[in-house]
């Protein structure tokens, strides 16, 4: 968001006079054991200092059985959807154009972060939901996503500059009962949809098994599903964190989750690797839609605090996302997966008039759609790799 850093600085300036809300956070030594009551085992934590393959295998569950029933020469597929805010319209257009082109796979695994989490249900369920996907990413306005808070509320204890009640309402309306039931049905068949959120206390990535939540049959499952999607898209400071009531050994705590993009812009190649390994499939195809332009974009920066700070944060996010792509590429190379990456091309230079500008989003949608139809969207390595290897 263009005004993101301005919002950050406003809030930081107010820290000295703001109040501190009472919390009961999960103790450090218990974080990895925390579960949402009624949904044990429906998520896993990925901490930066350790990766336990057993946890990935447990979440895959009957996905392995489904893969084993397929011909071993049939490639297993994963779609990884990144963050990018309103630029998610590019990925939405690409998916719809891919359908029209006629060779879009039924993905075995879909993973999503931030806006990628929001488009994830549509991508997971496939072409039957393309119309709704297009509507969601070409008609949204600022008013559909957030409401502004008063300055006094920001100064005296607010947890964010903006209120995401409109986005929370929109998510609940878009995840209809029919859509929710369809996600549960695909989960039972052995397909998987995962969403990432950041545990701000622990600086870790929680990976939520969205199909398992949908298939749980619990009356509060729909609310939790929508809450996870909201958390994954909740940009810290700009948007409020999402609080989850969790428990460890019958003791209750509150967990503060924010946008999964704080931890990574795209994730999940380990799931495809483990699915290939456990089902003895030799071929896997990883498709990554990075809803950003990852090439440097030159801009004359004014020698003032806010423009300098804004440009700096934007650069950090861009380079973090580039590192995430290289990490997935390394996994793909080591495990024999086909790596396929689509990003917003440098040639697209339209600027939005607002944060969620329907004209801008429609133009991005058409760009992704056109690239998919023409077969020009995908590259097989992250930017700069081929030059390095010459």
């Amino acid at each position: 968001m263009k005004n993101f850093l301005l919002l950050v600085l406003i809030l930081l300036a107010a820290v000295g006079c703001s109040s501190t809300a009472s919390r009961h956070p999960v103790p450090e030594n218990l974080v990895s054991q925390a579960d949402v009551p009624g949904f044990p085992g429906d998520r896993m934590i990925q901490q930066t200092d350790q990766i336990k393959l057993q946890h990935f295998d447990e979440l895959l569950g009957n996905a392995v059985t489904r893969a084993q029933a397929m011909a071993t020469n049939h490639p297993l597929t994963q779609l990884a959807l990144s963050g990018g805010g309103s630029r998610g319209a590019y990925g939405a257009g690409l998916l719809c154009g891919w359908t029209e082109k006629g060779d879009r796979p039924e993905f075995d695994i879909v993973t999503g972060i931030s806006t990628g989490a929001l488009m994830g249900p549509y991508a997971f369920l496939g072409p039957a939901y393309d119309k709704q996907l297009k509507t969601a990413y070409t008609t949204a306005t600022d008013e559909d996503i957030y409401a502004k808070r008063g300055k006094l509320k920001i100064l005296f204890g607010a947890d964010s500059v903006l209120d995401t009640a409109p986005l929370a309402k929109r998510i609940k309306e878009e995840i209809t009962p029919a859509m929710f039931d369809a996600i549960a049905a695909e989960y039972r068949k052995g397909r998987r949809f995962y969403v990432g959120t950041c545990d701000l206390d622990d600086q870790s990535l929680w990976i939520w098994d969205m199909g398992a939540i949908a298939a749980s049959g619990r009356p509060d499952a729909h609310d939790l599903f929508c809450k996870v999607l909201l958390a994954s898209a909740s940009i810290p400071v700009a948007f409020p964190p999402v609080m989850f009531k969790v428990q460890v050994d019958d003791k209750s705590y509150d967990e503060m989750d924010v946008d999964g993009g704080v931890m990574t812009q795209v994730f999940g190649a380990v799931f495809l690797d483990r699915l290939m390994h456990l089902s003895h499939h030799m071929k896997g195809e990883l498709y990554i839609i990075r809803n950003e332009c990852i090439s440097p974009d030159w801009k004359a920066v004014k020698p003032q605090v806010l423009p300098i700070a804004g440009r700096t944060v934007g650069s950090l996010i861009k380079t973090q996302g580039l590192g995430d792509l290289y990490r997935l590429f390394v996994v793909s190379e080591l495990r024999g997966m086909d790596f396929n990456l689509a990003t917003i091309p440098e040639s697209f230079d339209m600027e939005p008039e607002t944060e969620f500008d329907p004209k801008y989003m429609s133009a991005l949608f058409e760009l992704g759609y056109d690239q998919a139809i023409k077969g020009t969207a995908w590259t097989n390595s992250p930017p700069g790799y081929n030059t390095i290897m010459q």
Side-chain angles (χ1 to χ4, degrees):
M1 304 175 97
K2 292 189 296 183
N3 297 323
F4 175 69
L5 193 41
L6 175 60
L7 303 178
V8 172
L9 293 177
I10 290 172
L11 196 58
L12 289 177
V15 166
C17 58
S18 63
S19 62
T20 302
S22 176
R23 286 194 58 207
H24 188 40
V26 184
E28 181 180 2
N29 63 317
L30 298 179
V31 169
S32 63
Q33 303 174 43
D35 271 318
V36 177
F39 298 88
D42 288 351
R43 64 179 193 164
M44 63 169 279
I45 195 166
Q46 185 173 328
Q47 295 167 311
T48 54
D49 59 342
Q50 56 182 310
I51 295 179
K52 296 182 179 179
L53 295 181
Q54 176 188 352
H55 293 168
F56 288 89
D57 297 350
E58 289 170 353
L59 280 195
L60 283 170
N62 74 329
V64 177
T65 305
R66 176 177 178 271
Q68 288 173 334
M70 298 177 181
T72 54
N73 62 350
H74 177 82
L76 300 177
T77 59
Q78 177 180 339
L79 174 67
L81 299 165
S82 85
S86 63
R87 289 174 293 281
Y90 169 76
L94 195 157
L95 287 168
C96 292
W98 201 352
T99 297
E100 184 66 23
K101 189 171 184 289
D103 57 356
R104 174 177 165 182
E106 179 183 71
F107 300 105
D108 300 290
I109 301 168
V110 173
T111 62
I113 286 281
S114 197
T115 198
L118 299 181
M119 75 170 65
Y122 304 101
F124 180 66
L125 291 178
Y129 285 82
D130 280 359
K131 183 177 180 179
Q132 292 94 318
L133 176 60
K134 179 179 181 180
T135 299
Y137 276 92
T138 58
T139 64
T141 64
D142 291 1
E143 291 73 22
D144 295 319
I145 307 301
Y146 60 80
K148 295 180 180 179
R149 297 189 191 275
K151 292 180 180 178
L152 287 179
K153 190 167 186 178
I154 295 171
L155 290 173
F156 293 98
D159 56 6
S160 66
V161 177
L162 303 173
D163 181 353
T164 51
L167 177 58
K169 179 175 181 290
R170 185 180 178 94
I171 291 172
K172 285 194 172 184
E173 291 173 348
E174 290 185 1
I175 306 299
T176 63
M179 188 179 200
F180 195 61
D181 290 345
I183 290 170
E186 293 304 311
Y187 169 81
R188 295 188 186 101
K189 293 177 184 177
R191 297 179 63 228
R192 292 293 180 266
F193 170 37
Y194 304 114
V195 163
T197 64
C198 169
D199 183 329
L200 206 53
D201 293 324
D202 196 57
Q203 295 182 319
S204 297
L205 182 73
W206 277 109
I207 300 174
W208 301 75
D209 190 338
M210 304 301 281
I213 294 171
S216 68
R218 290 184 55 87
D220 53 348
H222 185 269
D223 285 344
L224 177 60
F225 188 100
C226 295
K227 197 173 182 181
V228 172
L229 294 181
L230 177 65
S232 186
S234 293
I235 304 166
V237 181
F239 293 169
V242 175
M243 308 299 290
F244 292 91
K245 290 298 181 184
V246 298
Q247 64 182 30
V248 182
D249 297 330
D250 296 326
K251 292 184 179 179
S252 296
Y253 304 95
D254 60 78
E255 176 184 298
M256 181 185 291
D257 284 39
V258 297
D259 192 323
V262 171
M263 298 302 301
T264 180
Q265 292 299 314
V266 66
F267 79 101
V270 178
F271 282 111
L272 182 56
D273 170 43
R274 296 306 298 168
L275 186 60
M276 290 170 60
H277 173 75
L278 295 172
S279 64
H280 306 293
H281 276 249
M282 300 301 294
K283 187 172 178 56
E285 297 176 349
L286 176 64
Y287 295 92
I288 303 165
I289 299 179
R290 179 72 178 104
N291 295 296
E292 290 282 2
C293 175
I294 57 179
S295 301
D297 57 324
W298 189 92
K299 181 181 292 185
V301 181
K302 293 182 179 180
Q304 297 173 351
V305 171
L306 293 182
I308 292 171
R311 185 66 167 173
T312 300
V313 170
S315 299
L316 287 171
I317 293 172
K318 178 170 286 191
T319 53
Q320 177 211 13
L322 185 59
D324 295 333
L325 296 178
Y326 266 89
R327 186 178 67 250
L328 267 61
F329 180 71
V330 168
V331 173
S332 299
E333 286 289 285
L334 291 175
R335 300 304 188 185
M337 305 174 193
D338 290 343
F339 180 92
N340 304 276
L341 170 65
T343 66
I344 298 174
E346 187 178 3
S347 58
F348 183 81
D349 58 3
M350 182 178 178
E351 293 290 337
E353 295 183 5
T354 60
E355 298 296 349
F356 292 85
D357 176 2
K359 290 183 179 179
Y360 172 79
M361 295 166 70
S362 294
L364 270 176
F365 181 94
E366 293 303 324
L367 172 65
Y369 188 93
D370 186 60
Q371 283 191 322
I373 291 289
K374 294 178 178 177
T376 60
W378 304 103
T379 61
N380 300 120
S381 62
Y385 177 79
N386 291 330
T387 302
I388 294 171
M389 297 305 293
Q390 287 180 357

